[in-house]
Amino acid sequence: MTSILRRTRNASKWTSSLRFNHHSQGVRTIHSASASTTGTNSVNTDEIAHFSKLSSEWWDEKGEFNFLHKMNPVRIQFIREKMLEVAQAENPDLDSGDMLTGLDVLDVGCGGGLLSESLARLGAKTTGIDASESNIAIASLHAAADPKLSPEGTTPNLSYLHTSAENLLPNPKRYDVVCSMEVLEHVDNPATFLATCAELLKPGGHLFLSTISRTPLAYALTIFMAEDVLRQVSQGTHTYSKYIKPSELVQFFRDYPQQDKSNPLSGSSSSRPWISTPSGSNYLPRMEAELRGLIYNPFQARWHLAPKDAWGALECNYIFWVRKPMES
């Protein structure tokens, strides 16, 4: 417990040196700063209120969250394929199989439980958390209707908590996998949020994130078309200035963790950068990190996982995987 609390204090100390650069256009980028202070809470109360009002629509496949229902199988596909790729790289004799079985998985910002339920059905011991109490209520109610997911089931793999990621840090439990899908573009203090997700992982654990890039195309598709023209998403759901480019996310994990060398207790539980390639490089070692575009085909009404390094695929929605280094 002492080591957990020490790492928690270290994570808070590291994130206190992070800030977001607000340019004249109102956009922000992740970068480290030698002296600044930020809040330790990433929850935006306006965002929570917005999604709480929509909570009853989570399981309406033709409603507000239509796009997420269609995206969910592609997100699951990427998670399963990446976990298997890593496992087979470490054990070449390993046959194909589902690498999620029996793993402790945390779904941060789980909403109504779309991803959480899928992970639990694949055998992962899944905990879904959300800062919206009404989201957790809907997620719990939906899961209770399935005997395999119900807490009263013979092998319950799914539980929900009304809490934020930051509130989990003092607890000793750490996870094999942390997922946070379509959440990063809605939080305050994204650097704090990312560092919190990182700290909640076990050494060697996997972090999966999906979000939206800050590009003119992303604005045109996710705000102008989806919200203002087609009205398929409620107006005010997205804020362009909160979108984060893939390169900024990669650079965050190149710099993480940052250590105060004058303090022997500083730094995270791992002192190695999560991504070893230098700034400016487009190369990501396949056992350290990966970026893939998520492309929506309106003619097929389906999402597709873009091939690796496909031109232009990261201009709007994308998914990101990074692995926490093993303790040396």
Side-chain angles (χ1 to χ4, degrees), residues 257-319:
Q258 178 175 292
Q259 292 182 303
D260 178 4
K261 295 182 179 180
S262 65
N263 185 344
L265 297 180
S266 71
S268 178
S269 56
S270 171
S271 59
R272 288 190 291 137
W274 290 33
I275 300 176
S276 60
T277 53
S279 299
S281 171
N282 292 324
Y283 172 68
L284 294 176
R286 70 184 186 93
M287 291 296 106
E288 293 182 359
E290 185 172 327
L291 282 163
R292 300 282 290 277
L294 296 171
I295 310 297
Y296 184 71
N297 185 327
F299 301 104
Q300 297 179 328
R302 288 181 54 195
W303 288 91
H304 298 272
L305 187 64
K308 295 179 183 179
D309 302 320
W311 182 86
L314 302 176
E315 291 295 297
C316 194
N317 295 81
Y318 65 95
I319 193 166

XYZ file of all heavy atoms in Angstrom, residues 257-319:
500
model
N 7.136 8.995 -18.287
C 7.008 9.961 -17.197
C 8.178 10.933 -17.151
O 9.282 10.600 -17.529
C 7.005 9.076 -15.973
C 7.940 7.958 -16.347
C 7.722 7.733 -17.837
N 7.909 12.119 -16.660
C 8.958 13.117 -16.447
C 9.363 13.065 -14.981
O 8.519 13.042 -14.110
C 8.422 14.509 -16.786
C 9.415 15.638 -16.545
C 8.833 16.952 -17.020
O 8.646 17.174 -18.203
N 8.527 17.832 -16.094
N 10.634 13.051 -14.715
C 11.113 12.901 -13.350
C 11.806 14.163 -12.854
O 12.480 14.856 -13.605
C 12.097 11.735 -13.244
C 11.454 10.369 -13.448
C 12.477 9.282 -13.276
O 13.498 9.251 -13.948
N 12.228 8.375 -12.348
N 11.627 14.431 -11.583
C 12.383 15.471 -10.898
C 13.618 14.801 -10.303
O 13.549 14.159 -9.263
C 11.528 16.112 -9.801
C 12.283 17.173 -9.005
O 13.450 17.448 -9.362
O 11.716 17.706 -8.041
N 14.748 14.930 -10.988
C 15.946 14.196 -10.578
C 16.499 14.652 -9.236
O 17.301 13.966 -8.623
C 17.010 14.317 -11.668
C 16.596 13.653 -12.984
C 17.680 13.735 -14.029
C 17.239 13.048 -15.322
N 18.269 13.118 -16.370
N 16.078 15.837 -8.768
C 16.532 16.310 -7.469
C 15.790 15.620 -6.334
O 16.196 15.695 -5.172
C 16.332 17.828 -7.353
O 14.954 18.151 -7.391
N 14.681 14.934 -6.686
C 13.878 14.249 -5.675
C 13.927 12.758 -5.937
O 13.416 12.280 -6.939
C 12.428 14.754 -5.715
C 11.576 14.157 -4.596
O 11.952 13.170 -3.974
N 10.428 14.775 -4.352
N 14.526 11.971 -5.041
C 14.670 10.536 -5.292
C 13.345 9.798 -5.312
O 13.279 8.666 -5.791
C 15.548 10.065 -4.118
C 15.330 11.079 -3.049
C 15.144 12.376 -3.760
N 12.266 10.432 -4.813
C 10.979 9.757 -4.787
C 10.113 10.126 -5.981
O 8.990 9.664 -6.099
C 10.226 10.102 -3.495
C 10.890 9.660 -2.193
C 10.023 10.079 -1.012
C 11.111 8.161 -2.176
N 10.622 10.975 -6.863
C 9.789 11.440 -7.972
C 9.740 10.416 -9.083
O 10.525 9.484 -9.141
C 10.324 12.762 -8.529
O 11.530 12.546 -9.219
N 8.786 10.637 -10.003
C 8.648 9.750 -11.145
C 7.553 8.740 -10.930
O 7.034 8.561 -9.851
N 7.157 8.069 -12.009
C 6.112 7.063 -11.943
C 6.722 5.721 -11.577
O 7.912 5.610 -11.296
C 5.399 6.985 -13.296
O 4.415 5.986 -13.275
N 5.868 4.673 -11.583
C 6.358 3.344 -11.261
C 7.297 2.826 -12.346
O 7.994 1.852 -12.151
C 5.173 2.392 -11.090
O 4.367 2.405 -12.243
N 7.311 3.450 -13.483
C 8.257 3.114 -14.548
C 9.000 4.371 -14.943
O 8.402 5.416 -15.141
C 7.516 2.534 -15.757
O 8.395 2.408 -16.835
N 10.307 4.293 -15.032
C 11.090 5.486 -15.348
C 11.393 5.596 -16.833
O 11.962 6.586 -17.270
C 12.408 5.456 -14.565
O 13.150 4.295 -14.888
N 11.045 4.583 -17.634
C 11.319 4.611 -19.061
C 10.175 5.281 -19.803
O 9.014 5.073 -19.472
C 11.506 3.192 -19.595
C 12.802 2.534 -19.169
C 12.999 1.244 -19.937
N 12.014 0.235 -19.533
C 11.373 -0.555 -20.384
N 11.595 -0.442 -21.676
N 10.519 -1.453 -19.952
N 10.467 6.072 -20.845
C 9.378 6.606 -21.675
C 8.566 5.461 -22.275
O 9.102 4.409 -22.607
C 10.117 7.396 -22.758
C 11.463 7.686 -22.180
C 11.787 6.530 -21.296
N 7.299 5.678 -22.435
C 6.443 4.629 -22.985
C 6.691 4.434 -24.471
O 6.488 3.344 -25.001
C 4.978 4.977 -22.724
C 4.581 4.869 -21.285
C 5.357 5.114 -20.190
C 3.301 4.477 -20.785
N 4.645 4.911 -19.037
C 3.373 4.522 -19.381
C 2.105 4.127 -21.388
C 2.286 4.210 -18.568
C 1.014 3.811 -20.579
C 1.098 3.844 -19.197
N 7.062 5.505 -25.167
C 7.375 5.429 -26.600
C 8.809 5.908 -26.782
O 9.152 7.031 -26.400
C 6.405 6.282 -27.435
C 4.964 5.782 -27.229
C 6.778 6.248 -28.905
C 3.912 6.621 -27.936
N 9.642 5.070 -27.362
C 11.085 5.316 -27.351
C 11.580 6.127 -28.547
O 12.718 6.602 -28.529
C 11.833 3.979 -27.304
O 11.507 3.178 -28.446
N 10.773 6.286 -29.584
C 11.251 7.012 -30.772
C 11.307 8.515 -30.496
O 10.549 9.040 -29.684
C 10.337 6.741 -31.975
O 8.979 7.016 -31.607
C 10.452 5.302 -32.418
N 12.214 9.230 -31.178
C 12.392 10.660 -30.901
C 11.248 11.513 -31.447
O 10.491 11.090 -32.325
C 13.701 10.992 -31.624
C 13.779 9.989 -32.730
C 13.173 8.726 -32.185
N 11.146 12.721 -30.936
C 10.143 13.668 -31.412
C 10.308 13.896 -32.911
O 11.427 13.973 -33.413
C 10.279 15.002 -30.679
O 10.079 14.840 -29.293
N 9.206 14.004 -33.605
C 9.247 14.235 -35.042
C 9.228 12.969 -35.866
O 8.958 13.004 -37.065
N 9.506 11.833 -35.240
C 9.499 10.573 -35.969
C 8.063 10.082 -36.144
O 7.257 10.151 -35.222
C 10.312 9.516 -35.212
O 10.158 8.237 -35.799
N 7.761 9.572 -37.325
C 6.441 8.998 -37.582
C 6.391 7.509 -37.272
O 5.331 6.895 -37.361
C 6.043 9.214 -39.048
C 5.794 10.670 -39.364
O 5.276 11.414 -38.527
N 6.159 11.094 -40.573
N 7.546 6.970 -36.898
C 7.625 5.531 -36.643
C 7.237 5.222 -35.200
O 7.732 5.850 -34.253
C 9.034 5.021 -36.917
C 9.253 3.583 -36.485
C 8.611 2.541 -37.142
C 10.093 3.283 -35.415
C 8.802 1.226 -36.747
C 10.303 1.968 -35.013
C 9.651 0.948 -35.681
O 9.839 -0.340 -35.285
N 6.342 4.242 -35.026
C 5.965 3.759 -33.706
C 6.311 2.282 -33.614
O 5.779 1.470 -34.389
C 4.465 3.953 -33.464
C 3.939 5.383 -33.388
C 2.423 5.384 -33.235
C 4.593 6.139 -32.244
N 7.206 1.894 -32.718
C 7.506 0.467 -32.554
C 6.228 -0.308 -32.241
O 5.464 0.087 -31.354
C 8.481 0.455 -31.361
C 9.085 1.830 -31.364
C 7.998 2.742 -31.812
N 5.996 -1.383 -32.966
C 4.702 -2.048 -32.892
C 4.417 -2.680 -31.538
O 3.268 -2.976 -31.231
C 4.577 -3.104 -33.996
C 5.450 -4.335 -33.818
C 5.310 -5.266 -35.006
N 6.030 -6.527 -34.812
C 5.480 -7.623 -34.316
N 4.211 -7.628 -33.985
N 6.190 -8.731 -34.164
N 5.443 -2.874 -30.702
C 5.216 -3.409 -29.374
C 5.131 -2.301 -28.320
O 5.021 -2.585 -27.132
C 6.332 -4.400 -28.993
C 6.308 -5.695 -29.781
S 4.801 -6.678 -29.480
C 3.891 -6.406 -31.013
N 5.176 -1.040 -28.761
C 5.068 0.088 -27.837
C 3.793 0.892 -28.047
O 3.158 1.309 -27.068
C 6.273 1.020 -27.992
C 7.586 0.415 -27.553
C 8.747 1.390 -27.688
O 8.538 2.543 -28.149
O 9.875 1.009 -27.340
N 3.412 1.133 -29.286
C 2.251 1.977 -29.549
C 1.757 1.760 -30.975
O 2.506 1.303 -31.848
C 2.598 3.447 -29.332
N 0.504 2.111 -31.187
C -0.066 2.020 -32.534
C -1.221 3.005 -32.674
O -1.997 3.212 -31.734
C -0.565 0.607 -32.833
C -1.049 0.423 -34.259
C -1.368 -1.023 -34.601
O -0.693 -1.931 -34.059
O -2.286 -1.238 -35.410
N -1.333 3.601 -33.855
C -2.416 4.489 -34.221
C -3.153 3.915 -35.426
O -2.522 3.475 -36.387
C -1.894 5.882 -34.592
C -1.498 6.832 -33.463
C -0.638 7.960 -34.029
C -2.741 7.400 -32.773
N -4.496 3.923 -35.376
C -5.282 3.488 -36.523
C -6.468 4.425 -36.704
O -7.122 4.822 -35.727
C -5.783 2.048 -36.320
C -4.691 1.003 -36.150
C -4.047 0.611 -37.453
N -4.937 -0.163 -38.295
C -5.127 -1.480 -38.188
N -4.486 -2.160 -37.237
N -5.937 -2.106 -39.008
N -6.773 4.747 -37.925
C -7.930 5.573 -38.210
C -9.218 4.773 -38.131
O -9.252 3.581 -38.430
N -10.279 5.448 -37.715
C -11.620 4.874 -37.721
C -12.427 5.628 -38.785
O -12.683 6.824 -38.640
C -12.277 5.011 -36.347
C -11.593 4.258 -35.200
C -12.202 4.654 -33.866
C -11.706 2.747 -35.402
N -12.802 4.936 -39.838
C -13.418 5.569 -41.006
C -14.883 5.144 -41.114
O -15.187 3.944 -41.101
C -12.684 5.177 -42.304
C -11.165 5.381 -42.150
C -13.243 5.959 -43.476
C -10.757 6.809 -41.910
N -15.764 6.135 -41.227
C -17.185 5.823 -41.380
C -17.574 5.896 -42.849
O -17.318 6.891 -43.533
C -18.045 6.805 -40.591
C -19.521 6.474 -40.625
C -20.016 5.369 -39.932
C -20.408 7.240 -41.371
C -21.357 5.038 -39.970
C -21.758 6.919 -41.412
C -22.232 5.820 -40.719
O -23.566 5.494 -40.752
N -18.179 4.824 -43.331
C -18.669 4.762 -44.712
C -20.176 4.997 -44.688
O -20.945 4.107 -44.287
C -18.356 3.405 -45.330
C -18.729 3.331 -46.806
O -19.692 3.953 -47.249
N -17.968 2.553 -47.573
N -20.652 6.177 -45.096
C -22.093 6.474 -45.021
C -22.935 5.625 -45.960
O -24.124 5.423 -45.708
C -22.163 7.955 -45.404
C -20.937 8.204 -46.216
C -19.884 7.307 -45.656
N -22.345 5.109 -47.035
C -23.104 4.288 -47.974
C -23.381 2.898 -47.399
O -24.422 2.307 -47.663
C -22.357 4.180 -49.307
C -22.099 5.506 -49.955
C -20.834 6.079 -49.930
C -23.134 6.209 -50.560
C -20.596 7.310 -50.515
C -22.907 7.445 -51.151
C -21.638 8.002 -51.128
N -22.435 2.406 -46.604
C -22.617 1.115 -45.940
C -23.150 1.273 -44.517
O -23.544 0.290 -43.892
C -21.285 0.353 -45.889
C -20.716 -0.014 -47.236
C -19.378 -0.741 -47.104
O -18.607 -0.496 -46.182
N -19.111 -1.656 -48.036
N -23.137 2.517 -44.015
C -23.530 2.796 -42.623
C -22.704 1.946 -41.671
O -23.205 1.361 -40.707
C -25.022 2.563 -42.411
N -21.390 1.905 -41.929
C -20.481 1.082 -41.120
C -19.185 1.821 -40.877
O -18.737 2.634 -41.695
C -20.155 -0.237 -41.851
C -21.262 -1.243 -41.915
C -20.778 -2.497 -42.640
N -19.563 -3.037 -42.036
C -18.767 -3.943 -42.607
N -19.046 -4.379 -43.825
N -17.697 -4.381 -41.981
N -18.581 1.504 -39.728
C -17.228 1.974 -39.427
C -16.233 0.923 -39.873
O -16.515 -0.281 -39.822
C -17.058 2.217 -37.929
C -17.777 3.425 -37.421
C -19.046 3.482 -36.927
C -17.260 4.763 -37.347
N -19.354 4.775 -36.556
C -18.284 5.568 -36.807
C -16.047 5.352 -37.698
C -18.124 6.936 -36.584
C -15.874 6.712 -37.492
C -16.900 7.496 -36.943
N -15.050 1.372 -40.282
C -13.974 0.477 -40.696
C -12.687 0.880 -39.990
O -12.433 2.066 -39.766
C -13.768 0.537 -42.216
C -14.956 0.107 -43.008
N -15.190 -1.203 -43.365
C -16.002 0.818 -43.502
C -16.313 -1.274 -44.052
N -16.829 -0.064 -44.151
N -11.891 -0.118 -39.655
C -10.564 0.121 -39.099
C -9.604 0.299 -40.267
O -9.398 -0.620 -41.064
C -10.142 -1.059 -38.227
C -8.856 -0.924 -37.419
C -8.967 0.188 -36.384
C -8.526 -2.254 -36.737
N -9.034 1.486 -40.387
C -8.155 1.773 -41.520
C -6.868 0.957 -41.421
O -6.397 0.648 -40.317
C -7.819 3.258 -41.559
N -6.272 0.602 -42.558
C -4.978 -0.090 -42.533
C -3.917 0.773 -41.842
O -4.033 2.001 -41.787
C -4.652 -0.291 -44.015
C -5.957 -0.171 -44.717
C -6.781 0.792 -43.919
N -2.899 0.124 -41.341
C -1.805 0.860 -40.707
C -1.177 1.830 -41.707
O -0.933 1.484 -42.859
C -0.738 -0.114 -40.187
C -1.221 -1.029 -39.071
C -0.120 -1.981 -38.628
C -0.624 -2.941 -37.555
N 0.431 -3.892 -37.129
N -0.922 3.032 -41.242
C -0.242 4.071 -42.034
C -1.020 4.476 -43.285
O -0.434 5.018 -44.233
C 1.170 3.621 -42.435
C 2.028 3.272 -41.226
O 1.945 3.996 -40.214
O 2.761 2.272 -41.289
N -2.336 4.245 -43.309
C -3.138 4.659 -44.457
C -3.174 6.188 -44.532
O -3.394 6.864 -43.528
C -4.552 4.099 -44.352
N -2.969 6.726 -45.732
C -2.905 8.172 -45.909
C -4.227 8.828 -45.521
O -5.305 8.405 -45.954
C -2.569 8.510 -47.350
C -2.430 9.999 -47.579
C -1.316 10.756 -47.398
C -3.452 10.896 -48.007
N -1.573 12.078 -47.682
C -2.870 12.194 -48.060
C -4.801 10.744 -48.341
C -3.611 13.320 -48.438
C -5.535 11.867 -48.718
C -4.937 13.142 -48.767
N -4.159 9.852 -44.681
C -5.334 10.629 -44.308
C -6.261 9.962 -43.318
O -7.282 10.553 -42.933
N -5.931 8.765 -42.856
C -6.857 8.012 -42.006
C -6.983 8.594 -40.599
O -7.950 8.298 -39.891
C -6.415 6.556 -41.915
N -6.015 9.417 -40.185
C -6.020 9.952 -38.821
C -6.547 11.382 -38.755
O -6.360 12.067 -37.759
C -4.598 9.903 -38.237
C -3.940 8.524 -38.195
C -2.511 8.638 -37.682
C -4.739 7.558 -37.323
N -7.220 11.819 -39.799
C -7.692 13.199 -39.870
C -8.973 13.448 -39.079
O -9.367 14.589 -38.879
C -7.909 13.602 -41.325
C -6.632 13.726 -42.132
C -5.752 14.856 -41.609
O -6.184 16.017 -41.648
O -4.626 14.554 -41.167
N -9.635 12.398 -38.648
C -10.881 12.588 -37.893
C -10.883 11.636 -36.695
O -10.153 11.850 -35.744
C -12.101 12.376 -38.795
S -13.642 12.967 -38.074
N -11.680 10.590 -36.723
C -11.702 9.637 -35.600
C -10.513 8.691 -35.682
O -10.133 8.237 -36.762
C -12.995 8.826 -35.631
C -14.233 9.675 -35.395
O -14.704 10.320 -36.323
N -14.744 9.673 -34.187
N -9.938 8.374 -34.535
C -8.830 7.422 -34.513
C -8.787 6.691 -33.179
O -9.397 7.107 -32.188
C -7.496 8.120 -34.784
C -7.050 9.119 -33.735
C -6.179 8.757 -32.708
C -7.480 10.451 -33.775
C -5.751 9.673 -31.765
C -7.052 11.372 -32.838
C -6.193 10.985 -31.825
O -5.766 11.893 -30.880
N -8.077 5.575 -33.171
C -7.898 4.777 -31.964
C -6.407 4.603 -31.724
O -5.614 4.514 -32.674
C -8.639 3.419 -32.091
C -8.720 2.717 -30.729
C -8.000 2.534 -33.150
C -9.723 1.569 -30.723
